[in-house]
Amino acid sequence: MNKLRGKIHKYNKDNIDTDVIIPGPYLKIHDHKELGKHAMEGLDPDFSKKICEGDFLLTGKNFGCGSSREHAPIALHQVGIRAILSPSFARIFYRNAVDGGYLLPIEIDPALIEKISDNDEIEIDLNTNTIINITTREKFNIKPFPEIISKIVKAGGLLYFKG
Amino acid sequence: MGMTITEKILARASNRNSVTPDDVVIANIDKVMIHDVSGPGVIKVFSEWEKKGIILDHIWNPDRVWVSEDHFVPASDRISANNITLLTNWTTKYNIKKHFKYGLGQYGICHTLSHEEGLVLPGEIYVGGDSHTNTTGAMGSLAVGLGHTDIAYVLMNGKIWFKVPETILFKITGHKPEYIMAKDIILKIIGDIGTDGANYKAMQFAGDAVDKMSMEERLTLTNMSTEAGAKNGIIEPDEITFEYLKTRSDKEFLPVKGDFDAVYGDTFTYDIESLDPVIAKPFSPENICTVGDIEGRSIDKAYIGSCTGAKLEDLRMVAKILKGKHVKIRTEVLPAAQSIYLKAMKEGLISIFLEAGAVVGPPTCGACCGAHMGVLAKDEICISTTNRNFPGRMGDVESQTYLASPLVVAAAAINGKITDPRNELS
Ligand code: SF4
């Protein structure tokens, strides 16, 4: 869990909201597999077909703004996304992603968006708080998780977190 | 160092003398809400936990939990109908008495019930499985929206972690003109600070204009603090709060106010005397301009509904404009709760709407989240009293929504185009 490796899918857009990540009509669905099929439908109808298990998203700031629907990190997790790299996240999305143990919200310097391209291979190292762009052989720092988040991530979700 | 109301509530709930922004606390929770979308999500989390050997034969405190049916009522299809059955069996199993059922007396949008029914009291910490839980902060409570896992955790343990947010103070001053509503003020603020302007932060509203504002108007301010990314929106409780609660709750509570030397991360002042009616264009609540800037733009549908814009006063404002007139475009009015529907009927508002040619529907989230009960077609343009206008929010991804006050929406309804409400208020 301390090192993750995957391919980048880049959507360089700010404020990708939960209505785009998983549109309203699917809120009645609680079958995770079914939700996965509709992930990011509002932005890229072919999204779920492009993603492989272990891939990452790279996006503009304020990712996941809008509603509290846990369907959003669930749908992204279900298609295979394991981390999202963004300059900032909306707070409920961030919380849901971590507390549910679905994926890692990684805060990056906005300048990194230009330095990482679609399809680049990336390694995230939570021990050193760095990411390595394997494709370009560049190394960058990421913002460390606050202590509590780090503990919940290590525990594998809020359920297993003991104070 | 003094604390803000948000900090004081968090300190008290976590048994500390004081907290400062960025502290992480484990706070005891007073009230919990789930609805027909987050409820089945929570039930799913419970069943996943049970597979892992965690026995959940009871929850922490069923008397502090309530459940609403709002997003998919009347059931839009078999899946949502089954979700209601699932929810009903679950509330029965865990002995949750406050289940506001569609078609069985009082029911409505969760955030509306929380104030209409006096379910949350000043000084309390309230978490809900919906992002607009922030609404109820207008009652002087700390009201925060959470996801399914977090709510399931609270139902099991009665507490949860919070990072103490920094508070931004919005001082609203000046005499409010009759054509301006709280909706104009909050849209103006979101336009200025952006949809992430208060991310992770508390938005506190104060100032002489807020002091004079009714409870329902205050609730519009806190409701849309969510659209600026805020953790919570809050207003210190006062005589107006206590008066509002008198007829709604006989429970005791311990109100909290901020210290005189409380520290705010930022302070913004808005003088609303010269404010012009505001509208948010597609596709973001921050994409604002004055109504005058785009007057005359044609519209296909007017929607008066939701936790933001279908409270009794919102309906009164709509009736003021629709009285004796006829709507030119499809107009839908959905009171936010059954009790509000009834009061509107007794006041004669419902007949004003019907005589004007509008349709009046049952309380539901329905079209506000693009789920059912009148979603938008491709290229259709709607003007709405709701709070979000992201792509596809109210229907097809290629539909468009303008957000505005009930007055502005009603003025558009009778003209079929964006209209300054000053032209219609005689
Ligand atoms: S009315 Fe709209 S904003 Fe309010 S709770 Fe329902 S879906 Fe959410």
Side-chain angles (χ1 to χ4, degrees), chain B residues 22 37 79 86 94 98 111 123-124 134 136 141 164 173 187 220 235 244 256 263 335 345 349 372 402:
Chain B
D22 285 346
V37 165
I79 299 175
L86 183 73
Y94 288 105
K98 290 193 205 85
H111 312 302
E124 292 187 337
N134 291 26
T136 315
S141 58
V164 179
T173 65
L187 283 174
T220 302
I235 296 170
Y244 181 87
V256 172
V263 181
M345 195 191 76
L349 309 182
H372 63 125
Y402 288 82

Side-chain angles (χ1 to χ4, degrees), chain A residues 27 67, chain B residues 35 70-71 109-111 130-132 135 223 227 303 305-308 364-370 386-388 393:
Chain A
L27 294 183
S67 95
Chain B
H35 52 49
D70 50 16
H71 281 63
I109 300 168
C110 52
H111 312 302
D130 191 280
S131 61
H132 288 101
T135 312
N223 175 278
E227 273 53 62
Y303 185 76
S306 87
C307 52
T308 324
T364 178
C365 291
C368 169
C369 57
T386 56
N387 49 33
R388 283 191 182 135
R393 170 67 182 184

Side-chain angles (χ1 to χ4, degrees), chain B residues 151-275:
Chain B
I151 292 285
Y153 185 89
V154 173
L155 291 175
M156 185 160 80
N157 300 298
K159 55 189 177 186
I160 195 148
W161 70 273
F162 287 111
K163 191 156 99 177
V164 179
E166 173 184 283
T167 300
I168 313 178
L169 185 65
F170 294 86
K171 270 196 197 151
I172 322 257
T173 65
H175 174 73
K176 184 165 73 99
E178 55 154 5
Y179 49 84
I180 290 295
M181 296 185 70
K183 182 70 171 281
D184 299 288
I185 302 169
I186 189 66
L187 283 174
K188 170 83 180 120
I189 291 174
I190 296 164
D192 287 348
I193 68 171
T195 50
D196 61 350
N199 202 7
Y200 301 111
K201 297 187 177 145
M203 285 173 89
Q204 184 176 332
F205 303 94
D208 58 272
V210 175
D211 293 344
K212 282 186 239 134
M213 221 177 250
S214 68
M215 202 59 223
E216 287 197 351
E217 280 284 90
R218 292 177 183 186
L219 286 151
T220 302
L221 296 178
T222 45
N223 175 278
M224 288 197 71
S225 66
T226 306
E227 273 53 62
K231 173 177 226 130
N232 67 308
I234 200 162
I235 296 170
E236 292 188 345
D238 61 5
E239 277 315 310
I240 289 178
T241 324
F242 304 142
E243 194 55 40
Y244 181 87
L245 276 169
K246 246 184 212 159
T247 52
R248 293 176 163 85
S249 172
D250 53 9
K251 304 270 181 336
E252 292 199 352
F253 54 87
L254 284 169
V256 172
K257 286 196 179 206
D259 294 325
F260 73 94
D261 56 347
V263 181
Y264 298 95
D266 233 323
T267 302
F268 295 89
T269 305
Y270 283 86
D271 183 353
I272 54 167
E273 231 159 293
S274 55
L275 190 66

